[in-house]
Amino acid sequence: MSTVRGARERARTEVTAAIKGEAKKQLAAEGAAKLSLRAVARELGMASSALYRYFPSRDELLTALIVDAYDAVGETAEAAHRAAAADAAPHLARWTAVARAVRDWALAHPHEYALIYGSPVPGYTAPQATIGPASRVGSVLITIVGDAYRSDGLAVPPLAAELRAEAGRMVAEFAPGLPPGAAAPLIAAWSQLFGLISFEIFGQFNRVVEAREVFFQEAVTELARTVGLLGPRGS
């Protein structure tokens, strides 16, 4: 019985992977808004009713693709951080290594990047299941800043009085152990990192930034400075 069950599970895994693979092709060709379960089934030679046993709705298939994309970029960021930490790299080098890895993933997977960081899909609301995967890159950045703080390698930026309550909430909710002064610039740097990548992926840098590798490296280094991973200029 266990042998039969194992064969069925393998078959289900293979069919699920085939469905996701065809759905990714549709994303690349048509965009997420036009993703169609019937079209996926047709391309795979499946009956629509058979595909619904794997993904009962378009939204469930979209969620699976979104989770996969978040997990993929998250794993990329985590691997880059582990490699830099294993080399005993300074915290700034760990930050830039993670940023470069995320950018490289985005350039290699533009349609998956667009699915998670592009325009919202009309009629789709992301469920709770996407929150954990979506937080993985941010968690790596928090880890880097936290490690720097604990090793006296963080120059905590001054915190505006108007932000104290909000910064305290941020620290309590997702960055325990960090000083409130590090929270707001860290969130700003996280959003600006993806802003830089999005401008490149979606073409806003065309005819504006040509030396993009160098530009990106300098930009993410400046983001590290705003978080406190570097001292003042010239130090």
Side-chain angles (χ1 to χ4, degrees):
M1 186 61 122
S2 60
T3 300
V4 173
R5 187 182 301 114
R8 287 175 177 169
E9 289 175 353
R10 286 194 299 274
R12 184 173 184 84
T13 298
E14 290 171 2
V15 174
T16 299
I19 293 169
K20 289 180 179 179
E22 180 56 39
K24 287 179 182 178
K25 292 179 183 178
Q26 283 198 21
L27 290 180
E30 303 287 345
K34 293 185 178 180
L35 180 63
S36 162
L37 291 184
R38 290 183 180 276
V40 170
R42 183 171 59 250
E43 290 299 321
L44 293 175
M46 297 176 64
S48 297
S49 57
L51 189 147
Y52 291 142
R53 290 200 293 270
Y54 293 84
F55 296 100
S57 68
R58 180 209 68 160
D59 283 6
E60 290 200 25
L61 178 53
L62 266 177
T63 295
L65 296 175
I66 288 168
V67 168
D68 284 354
Y70 276 131
D71 278 337
V73 69
E75 287 166 8
T76 297
E78 291 160 2
H81 181 235
R82 283 195 302 271
D87 289 339
H91 296 104
L92 169 63
R94 299 181 194 189
W95 175 281
T96 57
V98 169
R100 286 197 308 270
V102 171
R103 173 179 178 264
D104 289 346
W105 181 88
L107 291 172
H109 304 87
H111 302 296
E112 287 144 277
Y113 181 88
L115 177 63
I116 54 178
Y117 292 112
S119 299
V121 180
Y124 174 78
T125 300
Q128 287 284 115
T130 63
I131 294 176
S135 70
R136 290 177 69 169
V137 173
S139 294
V140 173
L141 300 179
I142 290 171
T143 296
I144 294 169
V145 174
D147 288 348
Y149 176 65
R150 286 185 288 273
S151 63
D152 294 325
L154 187 71
V156 180
L159 179 63
E162 296 84 355
L163 271 177
R164 285 175 187 162
E166 178 65 2
R169 181 197 63 78
M170 290 175 177
V171 166
E173 288 192 11
F174 51 78
L178 280 183
L186 177 55
I187 296 303
W190 168 62
S191 64
Q192 289 171 69
L193 168 62
F194 284 102
L196 285 165
I197 295 171
S198 293
F199 262 50
E200 184 170 4
I201 294 294
F202 301 134
Q204 280 90 346
F205 280 158
N206 291 348
R207 302 180 66 182
V208 177
V209 178
E210 297 298 332
R212 295 179 185 174
E213 188 80 34
V214 175
F215 179 85
F216 183 81
Q217 179 69 24
E218 290 301 311
V220 296
T221 299
E222 184 60 27
L223 292 180
R225 187 186 302 279
T226 66
V227 172
L229 291 177
L230 287 177
R233 295 183 191 281
S235 65

